Amino acid sequence: MADPGVTAPLRKDRKATLPRIQNFISSRRFKDVNLVTRLYPDARTATLSYWSVPGGEGAWVNYPFSEVINQSFTPTALGASFGPTWSTTWFKVELQLPSTWQGRRLHFRWNSDSEATLWSVDGRVLQGLSSTIDNQVRTDYLITNNYDGSSPTLTYYVEMAGSRIKGTYTDDLIDPPPPDMMFTLHMAEVAVMDTLTAKLMHDLAVLSQLADELPDDVRGYAALFTANQMVNSIIAGQEQSASALADAYFTKGNGARAHRLAAIGNCHIDSAWLWPVSETKRKVGRSFANQLALMDQYPDFIFVASQAQQWAWCKQYYPELFDRVKARVSEGRFLPVGGTWVEMDGNIPSGESFIRQFLHGHHLPKHGLSLYLAQSVPLYPSLKHMDFCQHMGLSRFLTQKMSWSFVNKFPHHNFTWRGIDGSEVLAHFPPGESYSMSGTVAGCPEHGTYTTQVRTRHLHDTEHGTYTTQAAMKRLCRATEFALRDAELLLCVAAAGATAGDLLANSLPKLDGAWKKLLLNQFHDIVPGSAIGIVYEDATIAYQEANAAILNVWNDSLSAIFGGGAKDQVVAFNTLQWGRREVVDLAALKSAITSEGLAGERAANYSLVSAPAFGYAAADPVTPDHPVTLETSNGSFVLSNGLVRVVISSTGQVTSLTVDGSDRDVFRTVDGTTSTGNRILLYDDQPLYWDAWDVMDYHLETETCLNDQAVGTPVVVQEVNALRCSVSWGCSVGRESSLLQEISLTADCPYVTFTTSVNWAENRKLLKVGFDTSLLATYATYDTQFGSLTRPTVVNTSWDSAKYEVCGHKYASLTEGDWGVAVLSSSKYGWSGRDSTLTLTLLKAPKAPDADADMGDHSFSYALMPYQGPLQGSEVVQRAYEFNNPVRLELLPRTAVPTGTSVSWAGVRGAGVVLHTVKPAEDGSGDVVLRVYESAGTRGAATVDILLPVTGVWECDGMETVGNAVNFTVNGNTATFTVNSSPYCIKAFRISF
């Protein structure tokens, strides 16, 4: 049709015209005279009654819909308030539909100043409702497009959550939520929607967006002109003419060369953030129901959802909804994507945790879907080690969080990303360069927007504080990862016997549940420390439950291997691939040990024990090759054991560190200049906004060393014996905190341990420990997932300067040619390497979004290890593993483990290759999966020995799919095969017995 005539002048002022158009559809300004008041020409308020769920946060899970509707509901009305925060209130909503509304479009409308879920009387989740954020308001549910008058009354149930779409803050987004927030019921009605007005409002919204986004384009000017004339026509009472103006504009294409854009819906649902996990479960139900409602209205609408955990929640808590989702999945309209259990943090989880995220994330068939997740990696944290993708059979990667970089703009959108192992994936960073990109869905303004959000914490140069905040989460994450590793190894050994079937069948579900709790807690706002306080209360309980299950599997495996009987023998277990001699503390077992078991080389409660690789031995005390001595000299304390010599000042600083017998001192240059280590450093920490997330570079300008001069409790000797010598000291920290530390050296050990307790009560401060060495190193090396990374210690570019705080796992090191020093860590992840100094961040004290983050008592350890030779040829990787996973003592029957017993189940011969994982196959077949990685960045070969009845060896991928057969030999009871490795490669093998 021809364009209707226009009367407005051709020259229009955008600064006046564009706001005029926007005001004409605004719900905030001029709504008494604009289109807003015309949208619902008639309405009837509902009759309401309510029932409050007892029990507070998360209690809703105890009351399924079938029980809720049988409760006693109390009458209420608009204006009443309900709560408090995280509570649940159910409403019975009764509606009267006048016969005069026949032929009209009817909506149910609800506003409780909170999130809510609309249910049918037969227990179907109909839609999620929310009313607090402009672009995500969903107050309307479409009852019918054409009321036929056959149902003059309607009844619904509304489940009101004591939460809003972005938590329950009062003033600022990341303010800690008040525990007593109440939510007021503002609207509950059935209303007639004027469909022409709805169309006009949407048309004007789209045209104003085009005019705003394309100010210098003829299409943008045409949109501005058309929308302005539409307003004139509506004011003149010519609504149909206004609609025709919009139709004429939208029928004009962009030409044959224009790109065709595909808009796919996605709602990024944080598994926890400014709300607890229990609220996320409901968010999943509401969000998924919304998408199904949209699919009913718009046949071309396609939606994608990541995080297999959230699909599992949908199935568990909303099975009827899940069945409807599956139907849309089969149509190709509701698509699972992402590849992982949750959208986890990309820095803190271990390499094995990364793989388990994919492994569990790809097993949606377990949850009732007949497909794997899409073979791409959208909505997934950063991967510096792209072999994870290849190991899991993935070839593509998508993220958007790089747009948050504070200093440097990432220069590419489409590129090949090469990992530290040389593997590559096709990567895409959407050119919108926005954490939130949104667009209105055509034809339904009342449904708001759909947002694609991705998080990553590696290449972008911000959120350095997430390496440290909520220290307990980091500690529990690391400890649980190693506990799972140990339990899986022991189960594999135990299940290789005749009783394998029952033991395996009983243990696999326990391990599966423990892994999923760990993986959930690795979500990108839980383990980084950027969630509200209640999230960490729940996460701590989840860790406790996971570790209880892990211990149960460990103990069941012990019983299967060693049987019952009197527990009168101390047995040392070593789950690592290196044989070990280690000083152990027998205090916990002492009361159960017979006098015979206490014989041998022992001091106080300590004993030096030896344990073979991947095995166990009777904890018969052995005589140390390198006993410890402690001497005092000029007010300093000298600890030495023939492997390492360390000098401690009266203030707890390290003034000298050498490999015993060497004249090269980590803290003394060749010209005699001295420096010190174990410097306890306090910094001011006031980020620009994101309190728990960020550490800004200017914090480095506020350094205060707490033990340069006198300290409150100078160093004193704690204990002296051939197995362990230690000193202790303490100091005040800031205004209200304190630190106590024991510095110890044990027999036959090449590193010095700093066991530290801090009572932390500071406000926006950072606590670090620094080691100012004499080494000339242009790069520092940091342990990472299944490998290591180097970072420059010098600052030549803005990219260098932004690396003032980086992530590392079990160690960081400085190397000068053929010698160096490493700092080992058991639970800390924030490091800095500048010039000749290594710094480890110990604690942070943010006040948002958790006002009490990290307040209280902390216990942690780190260690200092000098080494000879280059890092690749040193024992740093081995010792870092040992520091994180000490020898484990058990009391077992002496009949099963006689004195002198030493048994190894496996071993690795060859440098660089680490056998990290020994796990039962996921399919319950009894097969065992071994996962190795190359740790030194070199190529070579290693030999793996399995001292179990092996019948077959195959290559496999991370999904445990059987690949090529591997040649192996059997000599006696030992099966042997070769692993050919390239730098930082990850390989897996499937073993049958």
Side-chain angles (χ1 to χ4, degrees), residues 325-558:
V325 168
K326 284 198 297 180
R328 292 301 189 185
V329 170
S330 65
E331 297 172 2
R333 297 182 63 195
F334 200 126
L335 303 176
V337 295
T340 51
W341 187 246
V342 297
E343 292 174 19
M344 72 281 198
D345 176 71
N347 285 308
I348 305 303
S350 69
E352 189 62 28
S353 290
F354 261 48
I355 287 170
R356 301 305 176 94
Q357 287 281 356
F358 283 110
L359 185 61
H360 288 287
H362 275 66
H363 280 173
L364 277 182
K366 293 182 178 179
H367 306 294
L369 290 175
S370 58
L371 73 160
Y372 288 135
L373 290 174
Q375 295 297 297
S376 58
V377 196
L379 306 175
Y380 176 66
S382 68
L383 286 173
K384 46 197 167 283
H385 201 323
M386 284 301 158
D387 205 24
F388 286 111
C389 289
Q390 292 200 353
H391 193 59
M392 304 309 298
L394 306 174
S395 61
R396 294 181 294 278
F397 172 76
L398 183 148
T399 186
Q400 183 56 268
K401 191 60 182 294
M402 305 310 182
S403 63
W404 272 39
S405 285
F406 187 74
V407 178
N408 301 292
K409 174 181 171 61
F410 194 79
H412 308 294
H413 294 293
N414 300 290
F415 58 96
T416 298
W417 190 331
R418 178 176 295 170
I420 61 174
D421 60 302
S423 60
E424 297 178 347
V425 297
L426 178 63
H428 176 60
F429 296 165
E433 295 186 349
S434 170
Y435 183 80
S436 299
M437 292 179 292
S438 61
T440 300
V441 178
C444 51
E446 69 272 20
H447 288 293
T449 61
Y450 298 87
T451 303
T452 299
Q453 302 179 342
V454 187
R455 292 199 168 198
T456 180
R457 289 187 174 95
H458 175 58
L459 286 180
H460 71 96
D461 47 39
T462 186
E463 300 189 350
H464 304 90
T466 60
Y467 311 147
T468 303
T469 302
Q470 298 289 358
M473 291 297 103
K474 275 75 170 175
R475 173 178 54 80
L476 288 167
C477 177
R478 179 83 63 87
T480 305
E481 287 172 337
F482 272 103
L484 278 162
R485 178 188 180 278
D486 291 355
E488 288 182 335
L489 166 65
L490 198 65
L491 175 62
C492 288
V493 173
T499 59
D502 290 342
L503 177 64
L504 199 61
N506 292 332
S507 299
L508 286 178
K510 298 173 186 176
L511 291 174
D512 182 76
W515 266 112
K516 286 175 179 175
K517 287 181 171 66
L518 171 65
L519 299 180
L520 172 59
N521 280 343
Q522 291 175 344
F523 177 74
H524 65 234
D525 276 309
I526 299 180
V527 74
S530 48
I532 59 174
I534 195 172
V535 170
Y536 298 106
E537 297 173 15
D538 294 342
T540 299
I541 293 171
Y543 274 124
Q544 291 169 347
E545 294 171 347
N547 279 282
I550 295 165
L551 182 60
N552 186 271
V553 171
W554 173 270
N555 288 334
D556 287 350
S557 299
L558 284 179

Side-chain angles (χ1 to χ4, degrees), residues 603-759:
N605 291 322
Y606 301 108
S607 178
L608 179 66
V609 300
S610 178
F614 287 121
Y616 66 93
D620 307 322
V622 298
T623 301
D625 294 332
H626 302 93
V628 195
T629 62
L630 189 155
E631 300 174 352
T632 59
S633 176
N634 299 321
S636 295
F637 303 80
V638 182
L639 290 78
S640 178
N641 65 0
L643 297 174
V644 61
R645 179 181 183 274
V646 62
V647 180
I648 310 297
S649 74
S650 62
T651 63
Q653 291 192 358
V654 178
T655 59
S656 176
L657 179 70
T658 61
V659 173
D660 226 351
S662 170
D663 59 356
R664 295 192 292 191
D665 195 321
V666 170
F667 297 101
R668 186 183 299 272
T669 64
V670 292
D671 64 2
T673 304
T674 60
S675 55
T676 60
N678 201 40
R679 302 179 69 242
I680 305 301
L681 308 171
L682 190 67
Y683 300 83
D684 187 72
D685 177 36
Q686 296 186 37
L688 298 177
Y689 178 76
W690 297 100
D691 206 350
W693 292 258
D694 285 346
V695 173
M696 308 308 296
D697 59 351
Y698 51 73
H699 85 279
L700 297 169
E701 302 167 25
T702 67
E703 177 180 302
T704 300
C705 182
L706 305 179
N707 63 336
D708 259 348
Q709 305 298 324
V711 293
T713 305
V715 170
V716 297
V717 175
Q718 193 73 26
E719 60 187 348
V720 181
N721 58 70
L723 296 184
R724 191 175 192 271
C725 293
S726 66
V727 298
S728 64
W729 68 283
C731 68
S732 60
V733 176
R735 294 182 177 181
E736 301 182 39
S737 306
S738 60
L739 177 148
L740 294 174
Q741 188 174 76
E742 181 190 57
I743 305 173
S744 62
L745 183 63
T746 59
D748 292 357
C749 180
Y751 55 78
V752 184
T753 300
F754 302 79
T755 304
T756 311
S757 298
V758 178
N759 180 268

